[in-house]
Amino acid sequence: MREDRISVFRERLDKYLNLGINLLSLAIGCSVKVDLYDTLYPALSLVNNEIAKLNIEIQPREDVAVLRSNGDYSLVRRIYDISGNGVNKDELISINPSVALLLLQVHQSRASSPKEFASSIISLYRRLGSSPVRVRIGKGHSIVSTKEKAEFALIDFIGTKSGNEYLLANNDTIQIIDPTEDPGSYRQVATAVSNALNDLFIKGVYRDITIYPVYDAPIEDLREKLTRSFKEFSSKWDFQLNANVIQPRVNYLLMGATVVGTLDKEPPMFYDNIKAGFKILVTRSFGELSIISTYLTTHVDESIIDELERNVMSIEDLEKLKTKIMDSLSRPNIEIARVISKYLPEIGEAFREDEHIAATVDVSGPGIFVFKELAEQANVDVALYNIPLISPEIAKFAAEHYIITDATAGTNGAIAIVASKDVIDSLIRNLRGIEDVQPMVIGEVMGRGSGKLFVPDYITRYITSKSLLMKLTMNIDVLRSLRRQQVRCEKVRVEARVLGNVQGVGFRPTLRRQALSLGLTGYVRNLLDGSVEVVAEGCKEDVMAFIEWIRSSPVGSVQTINYMIKQYYGEFNEFEIR
Amino acid sequence: MKVSNDRYMLDARGYACPYPQVFTLKVIKELKENSIIEVLVDNPASCDNVPAAVRKLGHEVLEVNQEGNYWRIVVRKR
């Protein structure tokens, strides 16, 4: 039985290897993205000053692009290389976009540090930002490929005229959800598109939805199979499909969509109205990826099956659970959108806390991190008292075995809603009965603040990476330049000596990566007495977070760290290893 | 792959997270104590996860060095 399962999987791997696809080189679920907190956000901070001089605008972090519209819009798709060769000023003037949705696929070597990533993207931004037309990037999405020569920048330029409703647009893609299933199968495509749609649904959009597929494959047969799955999904759920848009064709498996829909209410983005006592509701438990990843890993290393069966559940039960999840992931959450829209103000009306939803967020890719981002966006402090996972046992197992670094992550997953207690109580009654929905309150807003998130201590069972945990719970500004309102930053310099087992263990490169991800400049060097000297400059909160991080460094072992906070000099442009 | 007595090499380049750490842990189980294994990874997520995973199991990470487009992680089995 077990041998059968593994041999079927191996046959599938071989079958695809013969077609030039290594299923094990494809990222599953959301791990396909350039790391938001270590790479993408810090990279955008690095190029912030240069972007400010260009005719380009990167809008604050939001799940979806939102435009006032008269209902008519045009969508023009262009595909460039990632340096932006081919961007044509005259064409930009004639397109005159209201917003641009950017999908970047870069080779993983460019995603290894913020500096590397920033230098990769700046040329594209320069080209986009040097025409008389202002290009607003309303939704960006950067993904990694393990294959070289599979890079591209796909931009969907959307143009519309202001009117009496809203147009919302989003782009999301996935490489593969579950390699134990056939790539290109209906469920994989349905999950990928539903995941893109989720960001419209959370804003209450369920009308006039059009899907503009984004897909690629190494072979024609698979590309055709994907095309068929897109058609099947659209007709089954009654969405418009525009299959005539151009596709990347760099022969690397990819599936997803740009999705556009209209909203005749005010979207739930009332961040400044969120206040102490507002509750946080989620529509179901999350952590889908830990289950899919664990199931997949049992096919790669048989000894994991033994451990799983000894400590958690039988492989048959895990398979049943995985199948159930794949079914629910391939269903779009459109019914939730209908309910959300009932709790939104009419166009032009103000937000009222006894009637309306204040904000919503999609708990998919980043899992529990979305609550940290939400706290920062709204400048409030948030406490979660419950982290409902589909299978806490599997999540713990996956984290312990480093199968997944954040076992709360998912795809097309739960939706979180922030509103006053009365509205939440009413919402729960309205959401009950929808398939796959089990609404529950998991936390609340403590009050206006700097964007802190308080989580139960047991979160360490599900997120084993120390640096991830620190980003979640320390007062670090994870969104940085993508925050709606910039936080004040007091610049300081720290000079430190670190004693312990800190030389010859990869300490300096690890420190440099962390410093860059916190937006710090300075240097780290080995001293002759076996200690390490660190000098760092940046915002005080980031500098202090860095010192705390060094104290519990994931490499070597730190006995003591002696440091002094000094006046900021602005001496460095980068963080070097000396 | 055996390089010399008690020194091994695992080339996990081209594999996406989580496979590099899964392969590394699988190989380490087979080795004698004090053996050295060099793991090559090129997936950014794995350059953090491979050292973290082996350290958690009590092995020693001797080196993590970026060499061009990939990382070389040297581990001593304990």
Side-chain angles (χ1 to χ4, degrees), chain A residues 22 24-27 108-109 111-112 146 179 296-297 300-301 303-304 400-403 405 504-506 509 513 554-555, chain B residues 14-19 21-23 25-26 29 42-44 47-49 52-53 55-56 61-64 66 69 71:
Chain A
N22 179 357
L24 301 189
S25 74
L26 296 167
Q108 59 187 9
S109 60
S112 59
T146 50
L296 169 66
T297 309
V300 180
D301 180 358
S303 67
I304 290 181
E400 275 173 359
H401 290 76
Y402 280 86
I403 292 167
T405 43
V505 288
R513 264 206 309 280
V555 298
Chain B
Y15 291 97
C17 198
Y19 309 106
Q21 54 265 36
V22 171
F23 294 155
L25 297 181
K26 189 175 174 178
K29 274 185 206 157
D42 57 7
N43 190 243
C47 84
D48 287 328
N49 294 336
R55 202 175 287 113
K56 193 162 182 286
V61 178
L62 304 175
E63 275 175 52
V64 181
Q66 190 165 2
N69 281 353
W71 288 267

Side-chain angles (χ1 to χ4, degrees), chain A residues 368-369 384 386-387 389 392-402 404-408 454-474 552, chain B residues 56:
Chain A
I368 193 174
F369 278 83
L384 300 183
N386 180 18
I387 299 165
L389 295 169
E393 302 81 7
I394 294 286
K396 184 167 172 275
F397 183 87
E400 275 173 359
H401 290 76
Y402 280 86
I404 193 163
T405 43
D406 172 7
T408 69
F454 299 91
V455 289
D457 288 345
Y458 65 71
I459 188 65
T460 52
R461 289 178 213 158
Y462 309 124
I463 300 176
T464 45
S465 155
K466 279 184 186 161
S467 63
L468 265 184
L469 276 171
M470 291 185 87
K471 287 188 178 68
L472 189 67
T473 54
M474 291 191 64
S552 58
Chain B
K56 193 162 182 286

Side-chain angles (χ1 to χ4, degrees), chain A residues 492-546:
Chain A
V492 295
R493 174 188 181 102
V494 67
E495 294 178 1
R497 269 189 66 201
V498 190
L499 307 164
N501 175 25
V502 288
Q503 290 195 7
V505 288
F507 191 69
R508 288 174 302 159
T510 310
L511 238 67
R512 176 175 181 265
R513 264 206 309 280
Q514 185 63 18
L516 286 171
S517 85
L518 288 166
L520 304 177
T521 57
Y523 67 84
V524 53
R525 72 171 168 185
N526 285 342
L527 299 178
L528 291 172
D529 63 0
S531 68
V532 165
E533 178 183 50
V534 183
V535 175
E537 294 194 330
C539 296
K540 189 174 181 181
E541 280 180 345
D542 293 329
V543 165
M544 295 320 294
F546 186 50

